[in-house]
Amino acid sequence: MPVECRGWELREKEVIDLSDGSRVGYVGDLVVDLETGQVSALVVPGRLRLFGLLGREPDQLFPWSAVRRVGPDTVLVEGESVLRIWE
């Protein structure tokens, strides 16, 4: 039986990198392929620098192929993220 999860439910989940066990942050957005309607990546917003006074680090983009498991509280990813600044 497939497990279902809505997009807004993913925003409440913490992203953990399996390669080193580090906490990456929380899912901030999804990248969806409009032609197929499938999620192609997860976006984790960059961390604030000096309480936001110096802006924030670049967003991290994890391709959906890097997602290993979506649990009740966390999303486990493995592999390199792609740093991207949204314009």
Side-chain angles (χ1 to χ4, degrees):
M1 179 165 164
V3 178
E4 294 180 5
C5 183
R6 296 177 187 256
W8 60 270
E9 291 173 331
L10 280 174
R11 294 195 67 177
E12 301 171 357
K13 297 182 188 297
E14 186 173 23
V15 178
I16 308 270
D17 188 356
L18 288 174
S19 61
D20 59 1
S22 65
R23 295 173 152 181
V24 178
Y26 288 85
V27 176
D29 206 354
L30 302 173
V31 178
V32 177
D33 182 354
L34 295 178
E35 303 240 342
T36 63
Q38 295 181 341
V39 175
S40 59
L42 297 177
V43 178
V44 178
R47 294 190 173 128
L48 296 175
R49 296 186 306 186
L50 194 60
F51 305 105
L53 296 173
L54 299 176
R56 62 174 57 237
E57 295 175 358
D59 294 342
Q60 294 188 50
L61 190 70
F62 290 93
W64 190 252
S65 60
V67 175
R68 296 295 173 244
R69 174 134 355 231
V70 176
D73 298 323
T74 58
V75 177
L76 302 178
V77 295
E78 186 173 36
E80 293 294 319
S81 69
V82 178
L83 294 179
R84 180 174 182 176
I85 299 174
W86 295 99
E87 297 176 4

